[in-house]
Amino acid sequence: MKHMPGSLFEGYVAFKYGRFRTERARYHELAKKGQKPDVMIIGCCDSRAAPEMIFDAVPGELFVVRNVANLVPPYAPDGEYHSTSAALEYAVQVLRVGHIVVLGHARCGGIAAALQEDSEPLSPGDFIGKWMSLTEAAKQDLVNHAPVAPESRTETMEKLSILRSLENLRSFPCISIIEERGRTALHGAYFDIETGVLSWYDRASGWFRPVEVGLQPPV
Ligand SMILES: [Zn+2]
């Protein structure tokens, strides 16, 4: 029988006697009053791209949903199980977040696999193939995109996929309405796991720009 992994045990002890102590008052307050995060993040399951770490977040600050390749499916009230859509609905209608960020990242295994023509699916199981078919629109965007150097193809696709997810976010009536009213802003972001550089989608240029440390936050 396998025990609790030692790394989790040691990590938990470090948290309980370190960060939890430092943040005790905040946890106490959050337990009493409930959470009220202003930011929702849709990130990838990838172990190298944890939103709470990238944004050095404190407890209660970020409402995070993570899925394979940080994809947002289009609005589809079809009676099926939709975990990402359920999280979105909760964030918007109950928590009333002021920002929704689709956070993509470099070297995304899901996106890389989606780009490999005639490749084996990511797994022999029942779910990933269907889920990754959500990238078809972004793949088409890549075809229509200005020519891209072969070494930049994956990165461009990762970013185009973020834009498609933003578009899909807007297909949810409850989201498009609050965006129009200015109550909630939608953002795209991209994290380079090798350099630690975060890029932010810039509406003016229609593409991603590195966040300049020490300057004003991007719009
Ligand atoms: Zn990923």
Side-chain angles (χ1 to χ4, degrees):
M1 198 176 91
K2 287 195 175 186
H3 296 284
M4 178 182 190
S7 57
L8 292 190
F9 176 71
E10 285 157 24
Y12 166 67
V13 172
F15 162 76
K16 187 69 173 61
Y17 295 100
R19 191 157 189 192
F20 184 77
R21 268 193 182 162
T22 326
E23 304 272 19
R24 180 168 283 168
R26 198 189 306 271
Y27 274 110
H28 185 71
E29 189 77 1
L30 286 166
K32 263 200 325 195
K33 292 190 176 169
Q35 61 167 338
K36 192 77 186 85
D38 188 41
V39 177
M40 176 185 192
I41 296 195
I42 298 148
C44 182
C45 295
D46 193 302
S47 57
R48 304 162 296 178
E52 294 88 342
M53 204 174 281
I54 295 168
F55 295 105
D56 198 19
V58 295
E61 188 178 347
L62 301 178
F63 186 74
V64 176
V65 60
R66 295 174 73 172
N67 63 43
V68 174
N70 46 270
L71 302 172
V72 176
Y75 178 70
D78 53 12
E80 296 298 325
Y81 303 103
H82 294 288
S83 71
T84 298
S85 306
L88 275 167
E89 191 175 276
Y90 187 74
V92 165
Q93 298 188 351
V94 179
L95 299 173
R96 298 171 71 85
V97 295
H99 302 268
I100 302 174
V101 181
V102 178
L103 173 67
H105 70 100
R107 294 170 169 73
C108 182
I111 298 289
L115 268 180
Q116 281 175 8
E117 298 298 335
D118 306 324
S119 65
E120 292 290 313
L122 269 178
S123 81
D126 298 322
F127 303 109
I128 289 188
K130 168 80 174 165
W131 180 250
M132 291 311 296
S133 69
L134 284 169
T135 60
E136 286 303 320
K139 276 166 84 171
Q140 195 53 49
D141 293 341
L142 184 63
V143 172
N144 299 333
H145 193 274
V148 176
E151 64 273 18
S152 305
R153 254 183 113 231
T154 310
E155 179 178 334
T156 306
M157 169 75 177
E158 285 158 348
K159 291 176 174 172
L160 288 170
S161 176
I162 295 169
L163 302 189
R164 276 290 173 181
S165 283
L166 288 172
E167 202 172 305
N168 286 345
L169 275 177
R170 294 186 175 103
S171 71
F172 286 72
C174 64
I175 293 177
S176 63
I177 288 171
I178 56 172
E179 188 191 23
E180 276 165 28
R181 290 180 183 163
R183 198 193 91 193
T184 301
L186 308 187
H187 310 275
Y190 181 82
F191 178 64
D192 186 324
I193 55 177
E194 190 178 357
T195 62
V197 171
L198 180 77
S199 297
W200 205 253
Y201 178 70
D202 172 46
R203 276 172 191 251
S205 64
W207 202 236
F208 294 78
R209 293 169 61 152
V211 173
E212 307 268 1
V213 176
L215 297 181
Q216 290 290 314
V219 179

